[in-house]
Amino acid sequence: MLIRRLTLRLLLSGLTVLSVGSFGYAQSTDEAIEPYRMLRSLQFVQDTVVRGDHSAADMQRFVLNTIDERLRTADPKIFQDPRNVDAALIYAMSGGNPATLEFLVARDIEGNFDNRVSDALRKYLSGKGTLIGKTLGDMAVEYKNDKIGPYLALVAGNVTLTRDPAGALKFYDWARLTAPGTIVEEAALRRSLAVAIDAKIVDKASLYANGYARRFLYSPYASQFADLFVRFVVEHYDALKPTDIEATLGYMDADRRREVYLRIAREAAIAGRKQLATMAAEQAKLLSGTEEGADALAKLYGSLVRVPTENVDDAMAALMQVPEDMLSPRDRALRRAAETIAKEVLRKPEPAQRSQTPSAEAVSIENPAQSAVSDPDLQDPFAQPVPTPVAQTELAQPAASAVATLPAEQTEIDPELRSFVDSGRSKLDAIDDLLQKEGP
């Protein structure tokens, strides 16, 4: 790690101080370093970040700004070298300033830039990529063996996935296989997992998850991978085996594995997947060791799924044993919702009057805290550009007004908890219907 940081520092110092010419004389950086050489420093920084050295992220914005200035002040003749043209295009696709590409294309009177590629990328970077999905796909195939090939493939996958998930996976596969160990591979694996989950391609999703955990577990974007993996397990557990889950989690240390199992247990409990919630909670308990907080959460999630069952008494007792101070506001709200349902299950029905389970809105649910805004230097450079939002029209105002008039409890309720409570309420309503038919 120390050697890597030293190498990084030397590379970056070369961008701002001086370089040595062929005759050993010191030359100005702006005159000596060509864009394609500077791009290597950006690639080094970004690849270092996704491999786990987050300290390199502090340099990313600096390198981007330095390359931006170099491209804007460079003599147009340097773009007679195709390597510098590729550097400008890759810079734009790697989180660079889109306006710089516009600037370079506008002054390209010698035709050094391929207008088809530059125009397509300008549309993509402005958030209009879906309109040129086929064009970008064709270009990715045409340039697949060039320096810009992996980047174009990644971009083509981004704009293809909504209409052709299988086609998007092919682009992502090509991107990661032609740029192994880089930020391109990291982004391609992460996006491939999301596409495979949505398309219910379980076998490929398992491979992508395993590959990501094996290669990029310490990437700053690994939290997105964890979200995807938890969702994958909860949604497709029927098609998975415990060994499939362990194959991916086996690359993690005990703390990370416990955290993932806790998240799986929570989501499975809310979704009513008893077997998965119980299994994940038990695994989390085994990994919790002496950490009381993790053990308390495992007990909470393992008990939640048993609330609307015949073992409601035991589940209620287990819930009451979970220390309040060991839970986050979000989990305390989840326990209160479960206790409400448990009490309704245990309540004796009144045949003369249809019993009403308190609505989801009546349960005080605290909205989970929003995740902290990440460092701009850690923003995913390959995220799909978002079009500029259209101004709100009069047609959209009634809906907004209706939301504004809802009680605070309704606007703040966690959608996951609403689903959990509604599921329990539907079961209670069915029980009440049966009891009314039987009579007193």
Side-chain angles (χ1 to χ4, degrees), residues 108-432:
D108 178 35
I109 60 176
E110 297 184 6
N112 295 317
F113 286 80
D114 185 336
N115 287 333
R116 297 172 304 145
V117 176
S118 57
D119 289 345
L121 287 181
R122 287 156 63 194
K123 288 184 174 65
Y124 169 77
L125 294 171
S126 65
K128 301 176 183 177
T130 54
L131 302 178
I132 53 167
K134 186 178 186 304
T135 302
L136 275 171
D138 293 341
M139 291 178 185
V141 174
E142 180 180 347
Y143 284 90
K144 67 179 183 179
N145 295 319
D146 289 38
K147 293 290 185 182
I148 63 174
Y151 296 87
L152 280 177
L154 193 59
V155 168
N158 288 347
V159 300
T160 303
L161 62 90
T162 55
R163 61 180 177 83
D164 184 9
L169 286 179
K170 290 181 181 179
F171 284 124
Y172 290 146
D173 286 344
W174 182 260
R176 66 185 179 84
L177 291 174
T178 53
T182 68
I183 191 173
V184 173
E185 184 192 12
E186 189 274 344
L189 272 174
R190 189 159 30 92
R191 283 160 172 71
S192 296
L193 177 58
V195 174
I197 293 173
D198 289 336
K200 296 178 173 58
I201 310 176
V202 177
D203 55 344
K204 282 194 173 184
S206 294
L207 290 175
Y208 293 137
N210 190 279
Y212 192 98
R214 177 163 42 90
R215 297 176 67 78
F216 299 105
L217 190 60
Y218 299 98
S219 164
Y221 313 116
S223 60
Q224 297 179 21
F225 160 72
D227 293 338
L228 289 170
F229 183 70
V230 170
R231 179 183 153 211
F232 171 55
V233 173
V234 173
E235 291 183 2
H236 301 288
Y237 183 64
D238 294 339
L240 293 173
K241 300 176 182 177
T243 53
D244 296 328
I245 302 174
E246 279 295 323
T248 297
L249 296 184
Y251 295 104
M252 304 180 185
D253 55 46
D255 290 340
R256 290 174 184 266
R257 291 174 65 194
R258 182 188 64 228
E259 176 65 24
V260 172
Y261 271 125
L262 284 173
R263 292 173 64 178
I264 291 174
R266 186 182 195 278
E267 297 303 316
I270 292 174
R273 291 182 171 269
K274 180 179 178 181
Q275 182 180 359
L276 175 59
T278 302
M279 183 277 292
E282 289 175 351
Q283 290 295 326
K285 284 181 183 178
L286 293 175
L287 294 167
S288 62
T290 58
E291 187 172 338
E292 295 183 11
D295 188 60
L297 289 177
K299 291 179 179 178
L300 172 66
Y301 301 148
S303 302
L304 283 175
V305 77
R306 292 161 37 207
V307 168
T309 68
E310 66 278 5
N311 297 322
V312 64
D313 289 300
D314 295 338
M316 185 69 171
L319 282 173
M320 299 306 295
Q321 290 176 2
V322 178
E324 184 86 3
D325 57 354
M326 292 290 183
L327 304 178
S328 67
R330 191 181 187 187
D331 285 328
R332 285 198 293 268
L334 181 57
R335 188 177 78 163
R336 288 198 299 271
E339 288 175 359
T340 300
I341 293 175
K343 290 176 181 178
E344 289 299 312
V345 172
L346 296 173
R347 178 181 55 81
K348 293 182 180 180
E350 301 177 6
Q353 179 181 349
R354 179 181 175 84
S355 58
Q356 296 292 332
T357 305
S359 64
E361 293 82 358
V363 182
S364 176
I365 302 296
E366 299 178 33
N367 207 25
Q370 297 294 329
S371 58
V373 178
S374 59
D375 188 324
D377 292 331
L378 295 182
Q379 294 294 330
D380 187 350
F382 299 114
Q384 177 90 349
V386 179
T388 303
V390 180
Q392 188 180 39
T393 63
E394 293 183 1
L395 292 177
Q397 290 177 357
S401 176
V403 172
T405 59
L406 288 173
E409 295 89 343
Q410 295 188 29
T411 59
E412 294 180 358
I413 189 168
D414 186 338
E416 292 179 343
L417 300 187
R418 183 193 299 274
S419 175
F420 177 77
V421 175
D422 287 346
S423 174
R425 181 176 59 184
S426 64
K427 294 176 182 179
L428 294 175
D429 288 343
I431 294 173
D432 286 340

